[in-house]
Amino acid sequence: MVELTINKIKVNAEEGMTILDAAKSAGIAVPTLCHMKNLFPTGACRICSVEVEGQRGLIPSCAYPVYEGMVVDTNSPRVRKARKTIVELLIENHPQDCLICVRNKNCELQDMSAHYGVREHRYAGESKDHAIDISSPSMERDPAKCILCGRCVRVCNEIQQVGAIDFTKRGFQSIVTTPYNKGLNISDCILCGQCILVCPTAALREKGQLKEVASALNNKNKFVIAQIAPAVRASLGEEYNMPLGTDVTGQLVTGLKRLGFKRVFDTNFAADLTIMEEATELVNRVTNNKPLPMFTSCCPGWVKYIEHRKPELLQHVSTCKSPHEMEGAILKTYYAKKIGIDPKDIVVVSIMPCTVKKFESSRPELSEEYMPDVDAVLTTRELVRFFNMAGVDFVDLPGSEFDNPLGESTGAAIIFGTSGGVMEAAIRTAYNMLTGKELEKLEFEEIRGLEGIKELSLTINGLKLNFAVVNGIGNVAKVLEEVENGTSKYHFVEVMACPGGCINGGGQPIHQKHEKVIKRIKALYEIDTKMIHRKSHENEAVKTLYKEFFGEPNSEKAHEILHTHYKSRKK
Amino acid sequence: MHKHIFKKYPAKDKSNLIALLQAVQEIYGYLPEGALQEVSDFVGLPLSRVYGVATFYNQFRLTPLGEIVIRVCRGTACHVCNSANILFTLETNLGITAGQTTRDKRFTLETVACIGACSIAPVITINDEYHGKVTVKEIPNILKKYNVQKQNPEKKAGVK
Ligand code: SF4
Ligand code: SF4
Ligand code: SF4
Ligand code: FES
Ligand code: FES
């Protein structure tokens, strides 16, 4: 331990701690921009500068360790002036359109301007002028709003290890972009949106689809249906300042009805269905010596990744469509017939924690007779904007139940929203398929949590099966390498592109509270334990669907409607 | 044409990036996109990082040079003598902006820092020939020697 003084307060700090962390532990806030928890400091932005006795220049507190007897001032006139100048320079080189910006009231640059009392334009000069990249169906890049903090570059390179974007050129010309400044859609960006979550401004944002959805809802001839992904219900409350991890399922259903959706279904129904199809596929692969390991296919970010990087291994990816695509496909076939509506008049809107799902829903493979399975995808954030626009007072909404039959689900489905959940759900059902018996203990702690690669081995019917869960696309390279050179010991591997799973998806509420992922995950596991049915094969509505429509899992009809294929995107 | 350069360096070693880029440029006079991708695979860095490095340093070119390279000095002395207008006039006459090459690959227009001929500012060079005390008026005449027809300005680069 070392003792130092910060703003005349005695502070005990651990050796090696940065001034920033020491200050924080003493309840002293220091602003940061380029700093990212758990990543090596770059000291690029200097907004965190403080004064240290005996040092001539200002010191970047995020990059400087404390020492015994250090005397720090985080709030001297000199520090405040330096910070204010940095903010002023950033603002002058930034479009002045806060009032019409998608990040209005949730922007770190705005906050800093407010905190440091910027009240005039002192440095009017040339400001950068870059085209907005609207090429991708999932995301937009608006480099004019970029303040070059580098957080997106670091998430993409160091956490996701995709490396789709980087700093290019230098000085005033400097811009974060793709190789050759080409559109995101033709880069190998997987559209996971993790960069959006860390961007302090609106330089990175989702491609909005609210207009399309609103106009469908206004069209009397359209039967507009919403479906909600598991992760959305555990995070949306944050946008209304509810505690992290509040379950708002009931309000969501009511809210969507008030927006004019004719039916509100649960993507969890299709998650149970996915498990039936995927577990059957796995059992099939294991017993018939087909390519192993099998990879999950629920995450379109991961699918896009392997299509770019290792298309040779695509036969290892389950052919199951992702749950919301399955739900859409059933709505436009089975359900349309059941309620006697022309599927062309049905509009399926998925409410997702994910930006890639927008891209996914535009894939031509995911359609029935030239109708897309899913017509539009709204992120959690977009839905909140929709509620606000429509005057839905979310906090005081009474709860209501999902519509049926595609609203029924089990505890196995709800945990799809977190890393390890798909695997746990699949095991609960595969065990039953292989043995005819039920598991006694449904929870598998080994594959829960935030570790990068989680492993589990089970002996079922004398057969030893090895499972792995890859949490975050940045951890997948090693697993793929082993599969490639034939040394992989796994039978079944779950991959989720976002660290923590969809619960931390690129479409989720934006704020930098660190416990958010853990709290949201906890909410999902709690819902699971409260469910009457916790195994996908116990979903009565899914059973009925097989009886009335598909026959059995992996039947010819199921293959036609619930499965898909992939393509190489290698350059 | 450039494959042999990879033999000189160990694979997956990021520290050789600059040397490899220089070797590629030595061969082609610029960094072709395909070669950049190969360098990226070879050193084990994402293409975005390699492209970032290539655009950070002035020594690297991402487009081939035209047959005739026109450089406009933007150093202080020339600036005071109105080199901005000289540049602007060249840009409009050639239909490209500084750093670009005409579609017919005949002309490349570049800016440079002081080229040490301040006494005859403003200065431009055409290939290796110096033109001092250039005026906006005489630019069309200078260009005429090289057979320039006025071209349509290219659309501003960017993503749409
Ligand atoms: S969306 Fe994901 S892959 Fe694409 S740039 Fe952002 S972090 Fe990288
Ligand atoms: S796009 Fe956003 S996160 Fe990336 S450097 Fe710019 S401001 Fe920072
Ligand atoms: S982990 Fe979930 S939110 Fe993230 S890209 Fe995959 S499907 Fe989307
Ligand atoms: S936050 Fe410390 S230098 Fe940017
Ligand atoms: S400034 Fe142009 S030659 Fe010196």
Side-chain angles (χ1 to χ4, degrees):
Chain A
M1 285 300 244
V2 297
E3 196 185 88
L4 68 157
T5 320
I6 308 182
N7 303 356
K8 307 209 169 65
I9 304 170
K10 287 251 176 296
V11 179
N12 285 308
E14 273 163 55
E15 206 130 346
M17 221 180 191
T18 59
I19 304 176
L20 178 71
D21 287 337
K24 197 179 273 167
S25 72
I28 299 165
V30 176
T32 59
L33 263 182
C34 66
H35 173 71
M36 296 181 84
K37 213 180 156 106
N38 301 331
L39 292 185
F40 199 76
T42 59
C45 76
R46 303 275 148 169
I47 195 82
C48 67
S49 291
V50 297
E51 224 168 330
V52 175
E53 218 173 83
Q55 301 270 3
R56 261 197 302 131
L58 294 177
I59 300 293
S61 65
C62 72
Y64 209 85
V66 293
Y67 53 77
E68 184 65 39
M70 190 181 219
V71 180
V72 180
D73 194 341
T74 72
N75 189 31
S76 69
R78 187 168 162 220
V79 166
R80 284 204 304 268
K81 189 165 168 229
R83 285 188 195 149
K84 189 172 174 188
T85 307
I86 294 174
V87 176
E88 283 174 325
L89 289 169
L90 289 175
I91 292 176
E92 280 324 320
N93 195 6
H94 191 91
Q96 311 286 321
D97 59 4
C98 293
L99 284 175
I100 53 169
C101 179
V102 68
R103 289 286 295 271
N104 190 19
K105 295 165 86 184
N106 182 12
C107 168
E108 291 178 37
L109 185 59
Q110 264 184 354
D111 290 348
M112 290 198 191
S113 173
H115 288 174
Y116 297 103
V118 179
R119 287 287 175 273
E120 58 187 336
H121 295 295
R122 291 202 299 149
Y123 297 99
E126 202 184 344
S127 67
K128 54 189 172 239
D129 164 32
H130 297 296
I132 302 178
D133 174 3
I134 54 166
S135 63
S136 142
S138 286
M139 297 175 42
E140 292 179 2
R141 282 186 327 113
D142 187 351
K145 292 196 171 172
C146 172
I147 55 175
L148 299 171
C149 70
R151 280 163 26 184
C152 57
V153 173
R154 303 199 72 191
V155 157
C156 192
N157 280 273
E158 292 169 51
I159 311 275
Q160 299 300 73
Q161 302 194 14
V162 173
I165 47 173
D166 210 328
F167 284 99
T168 65
K169 306 200 180 158
R170 63 158 122 189
F172 184 70
Q173 306 290 329
S174 197
I175 166 176
V176 169
T177 185
T178 53
Y180 294 91
N181 199 17
K182 288 182 182 169
L184 268 186
N185 67 328
I186 42 173
S187 74
D188 49 13
C189 164
I190 62 166
L191 305 170
C192 64
Q194 285 301 306
C195 50
I196 299 179
L197 295 183
V198 296
C199 182
T201 69
L204 295 164
R205 56 200 184 217
E206 71 270 279
K207 162 86 63 72
Q209 279 179 293
L210 271 188
K211 266 197 195 132
E212 289 94 313
V213 174
S215 88
L217 285 167
N218 274 333
N219 184 337
K220 282 195 286 311
N221 302 321
K222 297 286 177 195
F223 193 86
V224 191
I225 301 173
Q227 56 165 318
I228 313 174
V232 176
R233 64 202 75 181
S235 68
L236 186 133
E238 293 163 21
E239 294 274 34
Y240 297 97
N241 292 322
M242 296 179 188
L244 293 173
T246 307
D247 170 14
V248 295
T249 315
Q251 282 129 294
L252 261 170
V253 178
T254 313
L256 285 163
K257 285 279 172 65
R258 293 205 181 170
L259 290 175
F261 288 94
K262 292 272 188 344
R263 297 282 183 280
V264 178
F265 289 128
D266 197 346
T267 308
N268 285 356
F269 169 84
D272 280 329
L273 188 65
T274 303
I275 288 300
M276 298 305 291
E277 292 294 322
E278 204 159 16
T280 308
E281 186 183 349
L282 176 69
V283 170
N284 226 320
R285 283 187 189 233
V286 172
T287 45
N288 295 326
N289 267 329
K290 299 238 186 77
L292 285 170
M294 180 175 90
F295 287 103
T296 55
S297 57
C298 322
C299 169
W302 145 242
V303 169
K304 191 164 189 286
Y305 179 94
I306 188 169
E307 286 180 326
H308 281 291
R309 306 291 169 116
K310 291 266 185 280
E312 314 82 75
L313 301 180
L314 277 170
Q315 83 266 22
H316 287 271
V317 180
S318 161
T319 56
C320 288
K321 289 181 181 175
S322 72
H324 84 120
E325 293 289 340
M326 281 198 188
E327 184 109 354
I330 300 163
L331 286 170
K332 293 200 176 176
T333 53
Y334 169 77
Y335 185 73
K337 209 155 167 201
K338 207 174 167 95
I339 60 168
I341 289 186
D342 183 347
K344 288 195 188 63
D345 291 330
I346 293 184
V347 176
V348 178
V349 178
S350 303
I351 315 293
M352 296 283 132
C354 177
T355 41
V356 204
K357 300 249 180 221
K358 289 174 183 274
F359 159 81
E360 183 192 31
S361 70
S362 74
R363 288 183 69 125
E365 304 90 353
L366 298 173
S367 56
E368 312 304 319
E369 292 167 17
Y370 307 106
M371 279 176 288
D373 293 337
V374 169
D375 298 274
V377 173
L378 298 182
T379 60
T380 312
R381 299 189 292 266
E382 285 175 278
L383 181 60
V384 171
R385 276 173 233 148
F386 205 176
F387 283 150
N388 292 341
M389 209 186 290
V392 173
D393 189 355
F394 192 79
V395 182
D396 292 325
L397 281 185
S400 47
E401 298 281 327
F402 283 111
D403 290 308
N404 269 325
L406 281 80
E408 189 174 330
S409 69
T410 71
I414 190 78
I415 58 175
F416 261 60
T418 164
S419 161
V422 176
M423 182 59 73
E424 193 168 317
I427 293 173
R428 291 180 190 176
T429 289
Y431 183 87
N432 169 271
M433 285 182 176
L434 285 164
T435 64
K437 287 183 279 194
E438 297 295 345
L439 278 168
E440 267 162 39
K441 193 170 170 302
L442 296 180
E443 296 83 10
F444 294 95
E445 292 298 332
E446 300 92 323
I447 51 174
R448 295 186 172 190
L450 291 176
E451 240 174 282
I453 297 182
K454 298 171 275 187
E455 294 181 320
L456 172 70
S457 294
L458 289 176
T459 308
I460 304 178
N461 261 2
L463 197 66
K464 187 172 175 222
L465 293 175
N466 299 318
F467 304 98
V469 171
V470 177
N471 172 25
I473 203 74
N475 298 303
V476 85
K478 194 176 137 238
V479 176
L480 284 178
E481 208 169 291
E482 285 170 4
V483 175
E484 201 168 31
N485 55 37
T487 58
S488 176
K489 58 174 192 276
Y490 304 129
H491 295 88
F492 189 22
V493 182
E494 175 200 298
V495 187
M496 290 292 159
C498 297
C502 306
I503 202 79
N504 186 29
Q508 293 280 56
I510 298 176
H511 56 75
Q512 310 304 327
K513 291 182 196 128
H514 277 288
E515 335 74 61
K516 66 181 176 193
V517 180
I518 295 167
K519 290 271 173 62
R520 292 174 189 164
I521 291 176
K522 202 167 146 246
L524 294 188
Y525 283 125
E526 264 168 28
I527 300 178
D528 170 32
T529 53
K530 281 190 239 144
M531 300 293 273
I532 310 168
H533 294 300
R534 297 180 62 195
K535 293 170 233 131
S536 298
H537 55 278
E538 291 173 351
N539 184 322
E540 290 301 331
V542 168
K543 282 192 214 166
T544 312
L545 180 65
Y546 278 114
K547 217 180 294 147
E548 290 182 3
F549 196 61
F550 288 122
E552 54 181 11
N554 289 9
S555 67
E556 203 172 301
K557 195 161 192 175
H559 259 286
E560 194 186 304
I561 296 176
L562 304 177
H563 291 251
T564 183
H565 54 273
Y566 310 106
K567 64 172 184 212
S568 167
R569 295 176 196 273
K570 203 166 192 162
K571 280 180 221 128
Chain B
M1 201 166 136
H2 57 267
K3 306 272 185 235
H4 63 275
I5 62 170
F6 294 124
K7 294 208 183 84
K8 285 196 246 163
Y9 299 95
K12 307 286 166 209
D13 184 348
K14 303 176 172 79
S15 63
N16 298 318
L17 176 59
I18 304 265
L20 280 160
L21 291 179
Q22 282 165 337
V24 172
Q25 179 148 309
E26 186 82 358
I27 296 169
Y28 299 99
Y30 77 110
L31 301 173
E33 191 170 338
L36 219 59
Q37 179 71 59
E38 281 172 41
V39 169
S40 135
D41 294 339
F42 185 76
V43 294
L45 282 169
L47 182 61
S48 61
R49 179 59 49 93
V50 175
Y51 176 78
V53 169
T55 53
F56 183 84
Y57 294 104
N58 285 331
Q59 58 169 303
F60 295 119
R61 301 189 48 83
L62 288 148
T63 44
L65 279 181
E67 289 158 53
I68 297 158
V69 182
I70 304 180
R71 297 195 166 91
V72 182
C73 177
R74 295 288 284 121
T76 319
C78 292
H79 178 72
V80 176
C81 294
N82 226 349
S83 64
N85 268 348
I86 305 284
L87 177 62
F88 181 72
T89 311
L90 281 163
E91 286 180 339
T92 27
N93 275 277
L94 294 168
I96 51 175
T97 54
Q100 293 183 326
T101 298
T102 52
R103 275 196 198 286
D104 61 7
K105 304 255 182 323
R106 230 168 107 66
F107 292 94
T108 296
L109 182 63
E110 289 186 333
T111 58
V112 285
C114 175
I115 43 179
C118 307
S119 58
I120 51 165
V123 188
I124 68 172
T125 64
I126 302 186
N127 285 346
D128 288 324
E129 196 180 309
Y130 280 62
H131 296 255
K133 298 204 193 303
V134 189
T135 61
V136 167
K137 245 178 152 173
E138 63 183 310
I139 282 181
N141 280 333
I142 298 177
L143 290 179
K144 218 174 260 161
K145 278 198 248 160
Y146 299 92
N147 248 337
V148 183
Q149 281 124 31
K150 197 160 176 163
Q151 308 195 357
N152 285 331
E154 280 185 43
K155 288 252 165 61
K156 205 167 164 202
V159 206
K160 260 280 135 72

